[in-house]
Amino acid sequence: MRFKQSTVFILILILSYTCFGQDIELFQQFNGRYDYTVIGNTLNLVENEGDSACDILTSSSATLNLNPNQTIEAAYIYWAGSGLGDFDIELNGIPITAERTFIELLGFGFSYFAAFADVTNIIQAEGNTDYTVSEFDISDVIQPYCIEDINFGGWAITIIYQDDSLPLNQVNVYDGFQRVPNSITITLDNLNVLDNEGAKIGFVAWEGDSGLAVNEQLTVNGNLIGNPPLNPFNNAFNGTNSFTGASDLYNMDIDVYDIENNISIGDTTATIQLTSGSDIVVINNIITVLNSQLPDATIALDNAIVDCTSRAIHLDYTVFNSNSTDPLPSNTPIAFYADNVLVGQSATVNTIDIGDSEAGSMTLLIPETINNNFTLTLVVDDDGSGLGTVNEINEENNTYLTTITLLTVPPSIALPPTLLCDEGNNSATFDLYAILEDNDITTSPSEITFYNNLSDLEALTNNIFNPYNYTNSNSPETVYVRLENQPCYVIYTLELSVENCPPHIPQGFSPNNDNTNDWFNIQGLYDIFEDHELKIFNRYGTLIFEGDNDLPWSGRTNRGINNHGKLVPVGTYFYILNLNDPNYKPFVGWVYVNY
């Protein structure tokens, strides 16, 4: 870039304070048998130099020529120029709209722009052919840039391809829109260089001039890189295309350098630096290709099963080795944390090949000290102390987080007590479903079960067999009701009690052994008022019988001087029934005996 002398000093001051470009950062990474190429072309007819004509094209072409065994994995188009931008172009007649845009403000109303779009589908569909970018028109804004020799326009397509004959490489695509009057430094971490054969670095840069060669350098690990005569060591940005050998790529560079001798086997990092001492060059992307063979473990939770009232959770998870260039070894440790507290450990079983995965499962018992609602963290390549045992491509993607809520049953709900008359032995027959309906709890029998204790309810064992006709064993007695209510259940308690209701005394009986009404059958008396006393008197007031809970009156005498054990004659007899219950006074009355 050359500014006219009259504006150089002022513009340099403005440039010191005006820089709105986007720093070069990692955009995509490809691990496997990958390499890349770039095609593209300038819109400039000549290089910026003094009195050159102020003309710029609106279209230009380039040819893609991959080998038959090279399969396109991804393709990204970058276009850039002077001004604030034309973000809608065409590629072989197909409209392209920028997915990302970049602006570099230079001061004095001057600016540069760049744009990005993913064109993988187009390049995969059309394959090897001529590619023409058109409808790229910045001619209306180019005039003042021409006067200052800072006009440019152009485009480049970065193509990542897979080739089975290649070694296992790590291809990093960095992009942004960063000016290089000083320097750009990129440090590659997590390398495992097993072979430096084919190691390379390339970039797409804008507005480089072959006539300016002030400290324009590329260094790798401190070593100066060049490719003379096409790319001298001190003139990295000189309007050339390393892929085609062209030197007429005016005001742009598509360059690639062999760095085999500048990176060593065993290296785990590499430092790349681009500098320019005069030309205000803007870098749009940088590509590195290194034979780095490493696994890359990631983990994902597939399913978490939480049971009611249990602090045990069952996990199904998957360990991946997707974005990798080497298998992940067996016994890679896995740690499980609940709110950052280690609650379980596991490990992979098998060696996981590149691009493959392994399913696993684990049951964790969450300590009582952990809240019911907590963050569950799964970390692969973690020995339980936060340390890994495997050197990976990316050490920052081993973690998976999710929120787990343990299922707790709300406190049981006590329904109003149910009281029935004692039917004998301090028990009665209860319809448990009817009791629920009386309390406005209606549900299908399949959703509700009854139990005699809470532990059986929780374990779903020994449920009450016939809730419609349930006989209590004690009074009072508690029955536990489980109503399924996803994802858990609700507990109700029923208090069942019996009471001694007034007995029903018949007016007569006929002890004639016809098996019908053969004894003085007082309903609600026997085995209910177990301490009762029954006395029978004849019409003269003579006591002829005394009975109790074990001795009902069948019409025979057991008191008096005569006729012990004999049937009494037909007639009316007087009774006194003392229930010996503080709630009742003695019952007195007449009973008629007939045959």
Side-chain angles (χ1 to χ4, degrees):
M1 175 191 297
R2 294 192 183 103
F3 282 103
K4 295 294 185 180
Q5 187 174 3
S6 60
T7 62
V8 168
F9 179 72
I10 296 175
L11 188 54
I12 288 174
L13 290 178
I14 296 217
L15 285 171
S16 300
Y17 297 98
T18 307
C19 179
F20 295 91
Q22 289 74 49
D23 288 349
I24 298 293
E25 296 178 345
L26 180 64
F27 171 63
Q28 288 289 352
Q29 185 180 88
F30 300 85
N31 292 286
R33 302 186 187 280
Y34 292 110
D35 204 338
Y36 88 104
T37 189
V38 184
I39 63 170
N41 208 342
T42 182
L43 299 181
N44 288 57
L45 297 172
V46 295
E47 188 171 70
N48 292 331
E49 47 183 33
D51 299 325
S52 60
C54 190
D55 295 318
I56 194 163
L57 302 172
T58 59
S59 68
S60 61
S61 302
T63 302
L64 176 64
N65 188 24
L66 294 176
N67 295 330
N69 60 329
Q70 294 172 342
T71 304
I72 297 167
E73 179 72 16
Y76 309 124
I77 187 170
Y78 299 84
W79 67 98
S82 303
L84 291 175
D86 180 358
F87 299 118
D88 293 286
I89 61 172
E90 291 186 1
L91 177 63
N92 284 6
I94 301 170
I96 302 294
T97 297
E99 298 172 13
R100 289 184 292 141
T101 61
F102 311 90
I103 296 292
E104 177 76 33
L105 300 180
L106 303 178
F108 277 113
F110 293 109
S111 61
Y112 290 154
F113 78 93
F116 165 92
D118 188 327
V119 291
T120 303
N121 292 339
I122 296 174
I123 306 301
Q124 286 176 335
E126 301 205 7
N128 286 342
T129 189
D130 292 334
Y131 287 90
T132 298
V133 167
S134 60
E135 302 301 319
F136 183 1
D137 191 355
I138 56 175
S139 56
D140 288 345
V141 301
I142 205 71
Q143 182 66 34
Y145 293 86
C146 291
I147 295 173
E148 301 297 339
D149 290 339
I150 58 174
N151 65 297
F152 81 93
W155 61 276
I157 302 176
T158 296
I159 298 134
I160 313 297
Y161 61 84
Q162 190 268 341
D163 185 338
D164 288 338
S165 66
L166 293 171
L168 292 168
N169 290 325
Q170 180 187 93
V171 179
N172 290 311
V173 180
Y174 299 83
D175 70 12
F177 201 52
Q178 188 169 352
R179 202 162 47 84
V180 198
N182 297 309
S183 67
I184 294 175
T185 301
I186 294 176
T187 300
L188 304 181
D189 295 316
N190 301 316
L191 299 178
N192 183 25
V193 179
L194 299 185
D195 190 340
N196 62 16
E197 182 180 356
K200 67 178 86 169
I201 182 173
F203 55 80
V204 172
W206 308 109
E207 222 294 304
D209 298 298
S210 62
L212 287 178
V214 181
N215 198 32
E216 290 190 359
Q217 296 178 343
L218 165 68
T219 62
V220 176
N221 288 339
N223 300 316
L224 187 61
I225 305 297
N227 183 25
L230 189 65
N231 297 114
F233 286 95
N234 67 339
N235 196 4
F237 311 111
N238 60 345
T240 57
N241 185 335
S242 302
F243 291 94
T244 64
S247 59
D248 58 355
L249 207 65
Y250 304 123
N251 300 106
M252 66 177 289
D253 283 89
I254 301 176
D255 288 331
V256 62
Y257 296 87
D258 179 357
I259 57 172
E260 286 185 15
N261 297 324
N262 297 278
I263 191 165
S264 302
I265 296 173
D267 279 358
T268 58
T269 63
T271 301
I272 299 162
Q273 189 173 52
L274 291 164
T275 62
S276 175
S278 178
D279 233 355
I280 303 180
V281 176
V282 185
I283 303 296
N284 211 161
N285 79 4
I286 298 175
I287 315 290
T288 62
V289 180
L290 298 172
N291 179 217
S292 176
Q293 294 186 219
L294 284 174
D296 187 33
T298 58
I299 191 168
L301 179 65
D302 303 317
N303 192 28
I305 300 174
V306 182
D307 293 326
C308 282
T309 70
S310 174
R311 299 191 70 82
I313 59 174
H314 179 80
L315 307 179
D316 295 316
Y317 59 87
T318 302
V319 175
F320 299 90
N321 188 31
S322 302
N323 196 29
S324 62
T325 55
D326 206 34
L328 182 70
S330 60
N331 295 316
T332 297
I334 305 169
F336 303 85
Y337 299 89
D339 280 349
N340 299 318
V341 175
L342 182 67
V343 292
Q345 291 179 272
S346 185
T348 58
V349 177
N350 304 300
T351 298
I352 303 176
D353 289 333
I354 297 170
D356 209 345
S357 63
E358 178 183 281
S361 61
M362 183 72 178
T363 298
L364 303 177
L365 183 62
I366 306 303
E368 295 287 344
T369 54
I370 303 296
N371 293 329
N372 289 336
N373 189 40
F374 62 90
T375 298
L376 177 68
T377 306
L378 289 68
V379 189
V380 63
D381 192 22
D382 183 340
D383 64 3
S385 66
L387 299 177
T389 62
V390 179
N391 191 23
E392 299 181 63
I393 286 174
N394 185 354
E395 299 286 359
E396 304 299 325
N397 62 350
N398 298 134
T399 301
Y400 184 96
L401 289 85
T402 188
T403 298
I404 298 291
T405 300
L406 297 178
L407 299 178
T408 57
V409 178
S412 61
I413 302 171
L415 299 181
T418 300
L419 181 64
L420 295 183
C421 292
D422 190 353
E423 296 172 0
N425 299 315
N426 215 28
S427 64
T429 301
F430 295 84
D431 185 340
L432 302 182
Y433 285 114
I435 295 174
L436 295 181
E437 291 177 0
D438 290 343
N439 287 278
D440 297 324
I441 301 171
T442 57
T443 184
S444 66
S446 63
E447 296 175 342
I448 198 161
T449 45
F450 302 85
Y451 302 87
N452 291 115
N453 56 69
L454 189 58
S455 59
D456 282 346
L457 179 147
E458 293 171 347
L460 289 172
T461 58
N462 302 319
N463 59 296
I464 293 173
F465 177 70
N466 187 3
Y468 291 101
N469 294 284
Y470 175 70
T471 302
N472 64 299
S473 301
N474 300 290
S475 179
E477 177 177 297
T478 300
V479 169
Y480 296 85
V481 185
R482 174 170 172 152
L483 173 62
E484 302 303 329
N485 184 26
Q486 296 301 322
C488 214
Y489 56 88
V490 177
I491 299 175
Y492 296 97
T493 57
L494 308 179
E495 184 180 293
L496 308 179
S497 300
V498 297
E499 65 175 350
N500 294 339
C501 297
H504 175 69
I505 304 174
Q507 294 180 343
F509 67 98
S510 56
N512 57 7
N513 294 322
D514 64 354
N515 296 320
T516 302
N517 198 26
D518 283 336
W519 59 291
F520 190 22
N521 186 9
I522 302 174
Q523 301 293 321
L525 175 64
Y526 294 96
D527 294 330
I528 297 171
F529 296 93
E530 297 175 351
D531 296 328
H532 77 267
E533 296 174 352
L534 176 64
K535 293 182 179 182
I536 305 296
F537 301 86
N538 63 18
R539 60 181 178 171
Y540 304 109
T542 303
L543 179 65
I544 63 171
F545 178 81
E546 281 188 286
D548 55 25
N549 193 63
D550 298 321
L551 184 60
W553 188 41
S554 58
R556 297 180 183 274
T557 63
N558 67 359
R559 293 291 184 271
I561 301 175
N562 302 316
N563 303 320
H564 279 209
K566 291 186 178 182
L567 286 172
V568 299
V570 172
T572 300
Y573 294 84
F574 179 77
Y575 65 82
I576 298 176
L577 175 60
N578 185 6
L579 299 178
N580 287 320
D581 187 314
N583 296 318
Y584 295 95
K585 295 180 180 180
F587 290 82
V588 296
W590 299 91
V591 59
Y592 183 73
V593 178
N594 191 17
Y595 296 100

